[in-house]
Every structure is written in C-alpha cells, then in structure tokens.
C-alpha cells in the first residue's frame, strides 16, 4: 500500500512540475525585444527555383531593432545550384515587422532588396526584391531558433529580364544582445 501511494505522489509531482515549467517558460524566455537590441543570425535554406532547379543557400545576418517591433537587417548569403555548377552571393537589406506577443513565439513579416553577384551576374550584378514570412522561437532571453519562408523575385541586368521567382524555406539560429 505504501508503494502505491508513493508512486501516485511521484506521478502527481512530475505532472505538477511539467505544468509549472510550461507556465514558467514564457516568463523565463519572454520574447520581449526592445528598441536598440541587436541580433546576429545564421541559417540554411532549400530554395525551389521556378526557372531552374533546387538551390542550397547559406545565410548570415545582423539586425538592429529601431523600435520594439521593427528590425532592420543586413543579410549576406551564398548559394549553389544542385549540380554545384553555379555559385552566387548577395548582400540584402530587409525591414521586418514583429508582431507583439507575450510568449516565446514571435511571428514576423518583412520585405527586402538585394544586390546579387557571382557566376551568372554581369560586372554590375543583378538585383532582387522579396518578401519574408517567419516565426522566431525564443529558447532563452537571447537564444532564438527561427523558421521563415522567403519569396525572391530576381532581375537580370544582362538580359534586362526577370525570373518567375524563388521560394525558399530557411531555418537557423539567432542570438540577441
């Protein structure tokens, strides 16, 4: 009889601990970003190019929060097509709007403009415009995991033409300071 009560008590305490952690986590890792915060990030993406093929992309960036919800980001990325025959790189500037939340998950939307250089660009480079839809998951007050969808519309200076666009899913980590 004594063993059954002890087991029931352990189950109760384990359940109470799990509930307490779930309730406390949003306050421990609150996603309250303030004006002046800075963010360093890195990620990897799989891109589906409607004109060509699948592309692997590495991305790094630095962001600065000009307000509690608006972040200006500078991205640098490099990408290769699936047969590694073409390598391109880019420098982009983005504006991201973060929706206000009280928990550890922060959705955001944004737009960006990029200059593209590399194998297929002429000496002036190409450029791109795009949109971002993403979500940041705060693992602590400064460690973030993010997932985002980007649509990029490329313009080619050599041929004065544009692409049908690229769709990509990116995931990565960011650190807030």
């Amino acid at each position: 009889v004594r063993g059954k009560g002890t087991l029931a008590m352990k189950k109760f305490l384990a359940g109470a601990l799990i509930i307490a952690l779930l309730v406390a986590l949003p306050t421990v890792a609150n996603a309250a970003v303030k004006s002046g915060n800075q963010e360093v990030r890195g990620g990897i993406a799989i891109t589906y190019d409607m004109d060509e093929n699948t592309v692997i992309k590495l991305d790094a960036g630095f962001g600065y929060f000009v307000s509690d919800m608006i972040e200006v980001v500078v991205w640098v990325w490099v990408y290769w097509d699936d047969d590694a025959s073409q390598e391109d790189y880019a420098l982009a500037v983005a504006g991201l709007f973060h929706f206000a939340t009280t928990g550890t998950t922060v959705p955001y939307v944004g737009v960006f403009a990029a200059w593209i250089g590399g194998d297929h660009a002429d000496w002036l480079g190409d450029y791109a415009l795009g949109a971002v839809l993403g979500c940041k998951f705060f693992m602590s007050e400064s460690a973030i995991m993010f997932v985002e969808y980007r649509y990029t519309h490329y313009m080619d200076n050599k041929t004065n033409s544009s692409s049908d666009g690229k769709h990509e899913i990116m995931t990565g980590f960011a650190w807030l300071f």
Side-chain angles (χ1 to χ4, degrees):
V1 175
R2 184 170 217 173
K4 287 184 180 180
T6 304
L7 182 61
M9 181 59 78
K10 286 180 183 177
K11 286 182 180 180
F12 172 76
L13 288 176
L17 180 61
I18 290 171
I19 290 170
L21 285 173
L22 291 175
V23 170
L25 185 61
T27 59
V28 170
N30 196 325
V33 177
K34 295 185 176 32
S35 178
N37 283 147
Q38 300 169 25
E39 178 183 276
V40 175
R41 61 186 277 159
I44 187 167
I46 303 296
T47 301
Y48 174 70
D49 184 338
M50 298 170 105
D51 290 337
E52 296 171 24
N53 45 29
T54 303
V55 175
I56 303 296
K57 176 176 168 181
L58 297 176
D59 182 285
F62 174 80
Y64 181 81
F65 285 85
V66 296
S67 76
D68 292 349
M69 292 192 278
I70 297 175
E71 180 182 16
V72 176
V73 183
V74 175
W75 286 320
V76 177
W77 69 68
V78 61
Y79 50 96
W80 302 266
D81 62 13
D82 57 2
D83 64 1
S85 66
Q86 181 172 320
E87 178 183 324
D88 292 315
Y89 47 87
L91 177 64
V93 176
L96 304 178
F97 177 82
H98 296 75
F99 294 94
T101 64
T102 58
T104 59
T105 304
V106 178
Y108 58 94
V109 296
V111 294
F112 64 89
W115 171 83
I116 315 288
D119 291 343
H120 83 278
D122 64 5
W123 67 275
L124 287 174
D126 296 331
Y127 61 99
L129 300 173
V132 179
L133 175 64
C135 193
K136 292 180 180 177
F137 305 95
F138 281 73
M139 300 180 296
S140 72
E141 289 184 8
S142 60
I144 304 165
M145 186 179 95
F146 66 89
V147 175
E148 64 187 29
Y149 163 79
R150 289 186 194 171
Y151 172 77
T152 308
H153 187 79
Y154 292 88
M155 279 60 94
D156 189 334
N157 281 331
K158 278 195 243 182
T159 62
N160 201 21
S161 63
S162 65
S163 71
D164 289 333
K166 288 187 180 185
H167 301 271
E168 63 188 34
I169 301 295
M170 175 166 289
T171 187
F173 292 94
W175 293 268
L176 197 63
F177 56 97

